[in-house]
Amino acid sequence: MFFNDMKPGLKLIKVDSDDPSKVIPNAVFEIKSVEGTYGPQEFRTDQSGEIDLSMLPCPAPYVVTEKIL
């Protein structure tokens, strides 16, 4: 038997497709809820290639789109 505990928060990490050990800072993503109750809002990865999305209203399905600058 095992339990799947729900952990709060969500984190997006942008990595290089050729070298997944290399993170990519300053990548921009647009996030919006499928139902239209949130966003669209843009987020930018930090120096660790991460975006903390723990503040998003949950539970809801989201659309995440990388913005090409």
Side-chain angles (χ1 to χ4, degrees):
M1 172 184 288
F2 86 95
F3 295 93
N4 187 11
D5 293 329
M6 187 173 184
K7 295 185 177 182
L10 177 65
K11 185 187 304 184
L12 184 149
I13 304 172
K14 174 68 174 171
V15 297
D16 187 302
S17 61
D18 293 328
D19 182 1
S21 68
K22 182 180 177 185
V23 296
I24 300 176
N26 298 315
V28 178
F29 291 85
E30 179 183 271
I31 299 175
K32 61 184 177 180
S33 67
V34 171
E35 296 89 15
T37 57
Y38 178 84
Q41 176 140 1
E42 288 188 359
F43 295 87
R44 184 177 299 269
T45 57
D46 63 15
Q47 293 299 20
S48 300
E50 299 180 3
I51 300 172
D52 178 7
L53 299 171
S54 60
M55 79 305 254
L56 290 178
C58 291
Y62 292 95
V63 177
V64 178
T65 306
E66 185 173 6
K67 306 285 277 189
I68 306 301
L69 302 176

